[in-house]
Amino acid sequence: MSIRLTEAAAARVVKILAGELPPTLRLGVRKSGCSGYSYVVEPAEDVVAEDHVFEDKGVRLVVAADSLPFLDGTELDFRKEGLSEVFKFNNPNAKDSCGCGESVSF
């Protein structure tokens, strides 16, 4: 099982979570959107025994057990697109996404 960060994503997480050592980010999925699920990206305020913890490029990634099957093998990227800045999930488990790109199906 693995989740990876691109250099751009790792740099952005470190910048967002400046002062937190190690920078710890929670990734997950929740039922939402027109395709069924949306991604969750937020600071990890706590880690429980059921969570899976990954480390990549100096960043700690925390994933709840129920989200791990959906995210296993994912690469998290960060891109600037015009005036927008966004984390992009390169997820081999995703079967489809909605037209607006806000939700995904598995």
Side-chain angles (χ1 to χ4, degrees):
M1 303 234 155
S2 71
I3 297 177
R4 298 178 321 271
L5 295 169
T6 64
E7 292 291 338
R12 184 62 180 162
V13 171
V14 168
K15 184 176 181 180
I16 291 170
L17 299 176
E20 187 176 329
L21 295 174
T24 305
L25 191 69
R26 180 171 292 279
L27 303 177
V29 296
R30 68 172 165 235
K31 289 193 176 207
S32 176
C34 50
S35 288
Y37 291 90
S38 62
Y39 291 113
V40 175
V41 179
E42 59 192 14
E45 303 212 354
D46 57 341
V47 179
V48 298
E50 296 80 26
D51 287 337
H52 294 269
V53 178
F54 301 89
E55 300 238 0
D56 190 26
K57 296 177 181 63
V59 175
R60 226 166 76 156
L61 303 168
V62 178
V63 180
D66 60 347
S67 290
L68 189 58
F70 299 106
L71 296 176
D72 185 33
T74 295
E75 177 187 67
L76 184 64
D77 192 11
F78 177 77
R79 297 185 194 158
K80 291 184 179 184
E81 298 173 346
L83 298 176
S84 298
E85 296 180 343
V86 64
F87 283 105
K88 292 281 189 176
F89 285 76
N90 300 318
N91 187 342
N93 304 302
K95 297 209 183 328
D96 199 10
S97 63
C98 67
C100 65
E102 293 297 318
S103 64
V104 65
S105 64
F106 297 100

